[in-house]
Every structure is written in structure tokens, then in C-alpha cells.
Amino acid sequence: MCLFSYFAVLCRKIVPFKLADIGEGIKEVNVKEWYVNVGDHVKQFDSICQVQSDKASVTITSRYDGVISKLYYEVDDVAQVGDPLVDIETDKDTEETHRPDESDDSSSSSSSSSEDEKSQPQVLKQKVLATPAVRKIAMENSIKLSDVAGTGKDGRVLKEDIMRHIQGGAPPAATPVATPTPVAVPTPAAVPAPTPARISPIPVVPAVSIPIGKDKTEPIKGVRKAMVKSMTEANSVPLFGYCDEIDVTKLVFLRESAKAVTAATGMKFSYMPFIIKATSMALHQFPILNASVDKECENITYLAAHNIGIAMDTIEGLIVPNVKNVQSLSVYEIAAELNRLHALGLEGKLSTADMTGGTFSLSNIGAIGGTYAKPVVLPPQVAIGALGKFQVLPRFDEEGNVKKTHIMNVSWSADHRVIEGATMARFSNVWKAYLENPATMTIHLR
Ligand code: CAO
């Protein structure tokens, strides 16, 4: 060994790089994806790995320059806060320049895709970009990710790309990413004549690979483990259920116009932004439904912000991010925020802030199918609504003639310890009135 390398070895030190406290009382996380391998050189702020807690997905970034000498976990393993994630062989200089305001723990950043892409080390840029969930689908279907045309940011392979690959389709032309920029409203003549809403086909879900004739037991992890906890807690709440049918014919036509107006931005404009806004407007009259109760149900807090949680079906399981301060947002702003949450949710990249602080929830199970449901309130919230699918059905008009109508069913559940059935029914009537005559929502516009 030459004198220089001998000296270099002497100066190097192996530092166990620990998983820092992520906050929100999170004690453990699932390791979702490694961005480094043993032998890789990392710099401060380079991404080390992606971890998933029951609240959010977080990118762990390095605090040192050095060489990775050990990974403590495999993908899908559970890592405890405070335990080492990796060993990094650092040199003395690096150690002295590391971020001064932190202990020896790892640093974490709530992920936003753009930040992630910037901070990912060179090794990541050379491989096919995809979330672990997408990799799993590819593996289960014996598909090489490099054979799939990725339509996500920087060529990231999305779930839709895999599905399309399975079905043998070509990738669609690139669509611009939705941003909440103001839209030039076209003249009435430019808006195409309204047509009835189209219900999207149910996507093909790839089969979970279970060997034929053999049982398979696996640990419940990540988002599904969080569901075990939250639903067990929810089960202690006595629920009151209330259902109704809403004539959404006018809303269907309004949505078509909104879609036409915003089509140029590439933003998806579903029924949800109107439904979310109508919920907030009805909550104004029933603040007890936008409230939280303490564990023993001794106190109720009426909440100022209408942070409406939206149940989202993702490959990792059910998540409920929330649109914050709906009371101050326009329908357009709600649509933009919903687009952002939906995109991040499908990528498993929602931040802790997006996932916490919800005050009331909606579950659009009708996007998948069905009419009525039995939603479960998410404590400490006190109410939730489930929406059925929009259906074209015959109904009678005021003269007794049969007319073609768009119908959506709603199923409310409320914490019956603090919410009376009559309150839920009155709230539902106000909400229904807004949705059946969406023009009435505009009289509250500022
Ligand atoms: N009936 C008919 N069509 C519906 C619909 C409904 N209830 N809800 C949505 N659609 C339509 C949309 O309008 C859209 O149509 P276009 O392509 O013409 O624009 C299409 O279906 C796709 O909508 P979307 O699902 O992408 O968007 P969304 O804003 O309506 O819903 C979300 C977003 C996240 C709520 C939904 O995708 C989802 O995940 N729903 C499932 C929720 C769930 O699992 N609940 C159960 C919780 S308890 O386990």
C-alpha cells in the first residue's frame, strides 16, 4: 500500500447513518426503494432511499460525502426510527462539514417529485425510474421495466404504462402537467355543446402472483398496516348512516363546460371539485359536522378550516389526503389541488402535510362502481360521505312525464355520539340542493 492510500484509509471512518425522527409520532417506516448500492459514492443531500410511514412517503437524503459500505435493510423491510439505515465510509473533511444543526441521524424530506428528481444521485438517473409498486407489478407480470415506454416525468414508468404494455397499446401523446394558472375563458360559441358524461371503463387489475393450489401468508405493511390501525380505532365509534339520491343532471352539463374550458391546460376536471365545494358550503351551515372529538369524546372542537379528505384508491392501498381550506378555494383551485394530490398519491409521494389535518371526508367509490356504500368515519373526524356512480335513469318530472336523468347516490356516516340523524339529513338536503342546482353555488362567490 502506498503512503497516500495508507493515509487516506487512516482518515476514513465508518458512520452509521440513522433514520431520524420524521415527526407526527412515526416510530417505524417501510423501506420502499434504495437509490444507492454498497460501493456507491454519495454526496450530502443525495437521496439514499424512499421510506413509507403510515402518514407519508419520505425521501431520506445523505448528510455526508462518502462511500456506502452497508445497507441495513432489504426493500419492504420495516426500519425503526433511531436505527441505522446505512453505513457510510466518510473522510474526516466531510465529517467536519456536515450539516451543523443536526445529530447523527438521517435527514428526511417530504417528497415532491420535482425535488426528488433534482436530488437523486447519478446511479438513479441511469436506471429506469419507477416506484416500488410499479416495479412489483412489472415483476409479477414478468415485464422488464426497460421494455416499457415511461410517460411520467423524465421517462418514469407509471402504473398506466405497465397496464398499457400488458394490453399491447402504444403510449399516448404527452399531455402537459396541470398547474393552477388562470385560464382564459373562451367565448360561449367556443364551448362545445354539452354531452352526457362518459363513465370510464374499469381498469384491468393485474393478478397478485399466488402459486396455484398453495396458501400464501405475508406481513401487512405500509399503507395497509396504517389502515389496520385507523380502522380498528374507527370501529369503536357508533355510526349513524343516511342515504339519498341526487339528481345531478345539471351538474353533468356544468362539468362538461368546465372540462371544455380547462381542456387546454391538461388538467383533469371531474365532478369532485364541485362536490367538494358544495360540501364546504353546506358545512358552513352545519359546523358541528366539520369538527373533531377527543379520544374519550368529552370535548368537541369546531374547526375553522374545511380540509376535505378524499379517499384514494392506490396500488399501495387506501389513502386519504386532504384539500386544505376548501372554504377559501374556487372550484378551479380545488380541481388543481385534487390533480396534484391524485398524481402524488398514485406515485406514493404525498407529504405528511397532505395526509394530515383532514376535517371531513368524501369517498368517491362510484369512480369504481356501485350505488350505496357504508363509509367509516375517520376519528377524530365526525362524518364522511360515500358517492355512488353517476347513472342515467328514468325519473318523473313535475308533470308526471318520464325524463332522462343523471342520478348519483350518497351514503353518509356520522359519529352518533355527537351527531344526530336529523343534523346529517338537514346537511345532506343543503348539499343536495347545491348539487341539483349548481348555479345556486355561484351566489356565494366573492
Ligand atoms: N360516477 C361516474 N363517473 C365518475 C364518478 C362517479 N361517481 N367519479 C368519477 N367519475 C368519472 C370522472 O368524471 C372521470 O371521467 P372523465 O374521464 O370523463 O373526466 C373518470 O371517471 C375518472 O375520474 P377519476 O377517478 O380519475 O377522478 P375523480 O376526481 O372523480 O376521483 C378519486 C378521484 C381519487 C376520488 C378516485 O380516483 C378514487 O380513487 N376513487 C376510489 C375511492 C375509494 O377507493 N373509496 C373507498 C374508500 S373505503 O375503502
Side-chain angles (χ1 to χ4, degrees), residues 197-200 227 255-256 259 268-273 275 310-314 318-320 338-339 342 346 362-370 374-376 384 387-391 407-408:
R198 165 177 65 78
I199 295 171
S200 59
M227 190 162 76
R255 203 281 294 226
E256 283 304 322
K259 258 179 88 174
K268 251 184 14 181
F269 214 111
S270 67
Y271 304 107
M272 287 307 282
I275 295 172
I310 307 299
M312 278 183 191
D313 173 47
T314 74
L318 170 70
I319 53 168
V320 192
L338 194 58
N339 273 248
H342 202 183
L346 294 179
L362 290 173
S363 170
N364 182 12
I365 191 71
I368 301 168
K374 206 176 152 200
V376 178
I384 183 171
L387 314 170
K389 75 171 177 221
F390 283 46
Q391 304 177 85
I407 298 291
M408 178 192 75

Side-chain angles (χ1 to χ4, degrees), residues 165-239:
H165 188 88
I166 293 169
Q167 289 158 12
T175 48
V177 177
T179 48
T181 46
V183 183
V185 179
T187 57
V191 179
T195 52
R198 165 177 65 78
I199 295 171
S200 59
I202 295 169
V204 180
V205 180
V208 177
S209 56
I210 299 173
I212 295 166
K214 282 194 184 158
D215 298 342
K216 182 180 168 191
T217 304
E218 60 181 22
I220 298 168
K221 295 180 192 167
V223 170
R224 292 196 168 87
K225 190 167 177 187
M227 190 162 76
V228 171
K229 192 165 160 252
S230 60
M231 289 300 112
T232 306
E233 196 187 331
N235 199 34
S236 64
V237 176
L239 295 181

Side-chain angles (χ1 to χ4, degrees), residues 380-424:
Q381 296 172 30
V382 298
I384 183 171
L387 314 170
K389 75 171 177 221
F390 283 46
Q391 304 177 85
V392 179
L393 293 170
R395 289 291 181 268
F396 292 107
D397 66 16
E398 276 148 21
E399 281 80 47
N401 303 312
V402 174
K403 59 171 185 175
K404 179 181 168 186
T405 315
H406 294 263
I407 298 291
M408 178 192 75
N409 301 101
V410 64
S411 311
W412 302 107
S413 291
D415 181 341
H416 211 343
R417 295 172 303 174
V418 288
I419 307 298
E420 284 125 35
T423 308
M424 199 73 241

